Amino acid sequence: MNRTAIGNEQICIGPDPHPGIIQLPVAPRINHRIRFGPLNGKKETHITPQTAVRIVSELGAKGSLTDSALIYGPGDPLADIEPTLATLQLLKDNFPDLKIIVRTLGIGGLQYADKLQRTGVTEVEMLVDAVDPV
């Protein structure tokens, strides 16, 4: 994973096969236990919707070939939907060709499916934590 600094933010640009993804941690609220989370004890912080747009703009100005944005934690994007929807709408308004991915546990996802689609979400990654993969 390559990291680049934009202001005080460390932005991940994922490994191949999808090098153009920018990870935007905009979800502040956690709605689950962190049983399967990292053991390092480091608490991640979230960014505002305006900061997310600034980061994507600055990456574009630096010549980044970013074509997708991943909306994720440190909480769950659906646990507090308003910051998520605000981020999605700002991204859609400012970068209409940007593919938008939401990573979530999916709790309450059905009630937000229409709103997510209207704000330009092109993909949803469902996280499933389990002891037995079956």
mmCIF file of all heavy atoms in Angstrom, residues 39 92 105:
data_model
loop_
_atom_site.group_PDB
_atom_site.id
_atom_site.type_symbol
_atom_site.label_atom_id
_atom_site.label_comp_id
_atom_site.label_asym_id
_atom_site.label_seq_id
_atom_site.Cartn_x
_atom_site.Cartn_y
_atom_site.Cartn_z
ATOM 1 N N LEU A 39 -5.190 -5.097 16.900
ATOM 2 C CA LEU A 39 -4.835 -5.128 18.307
ATOM 3 C C LEU A 39 -3.878 -4.019 18.708
ATOM 4 O O LEU A 39 -3.464 -3.955 19.857
ATOM 5 C CB LEU A 39 -4.210 -6.491 18.646
ATOM 6 C CG LEU A 39 -5.118 -7.693 18.412
ATOM 7 C CD1 LEU A 39 -4.348 -8.983 18.667
ATOM 8 C CD2 LEU A 39 -6.339 -7.621 19.310
ATOM 9 N N LYS A 92 -20.124 13.525 -5.525
ATOM 10 C CA LYS A 92 -20.867 13.434 -6.787
ATOM 11 C C LYS A 92 -20.929 14.796 -7.486
ATOM 12 O O LYS A 92 -20.751 14.892 -8.696
ATOM 13 C CB LYS A 92 -22.277 12.917 -6.518
ATOM 14 C CG LYS A 92 -23.136 12.785 -7.757
ATOM 15 C CD LYS A 92 -24.525 12.292 -7.411
ATOM 16 C CE LYS A 92 -25.393 12.220 -8.639
ATOM 17 N NZ LYS A 92 -26.767 11.850 -8.315
ATOM 18 N N LEU A 105 -20.822 -2.901 7.434
ATOM 19 C CA LEU A 105 -21.333 -4.172 7.951
ATOM 20 C C LEU A 105 -22.743 -4.429 7.415
ATOM 21 O O LEU A 105 -23.256 -5.521 7.526
ATOM 22 C CB LEU A 105 -21.370 -4.163 9.483
ATOM 23 C CG LEU A 105 -20.005 -4.136 10.147
ATOM 24 C CD1 LEU A 105 -20.153 -3.903 11.638
ATOM 25 C CD2 LEU A 105 -19.258 -5.417 9.879
#
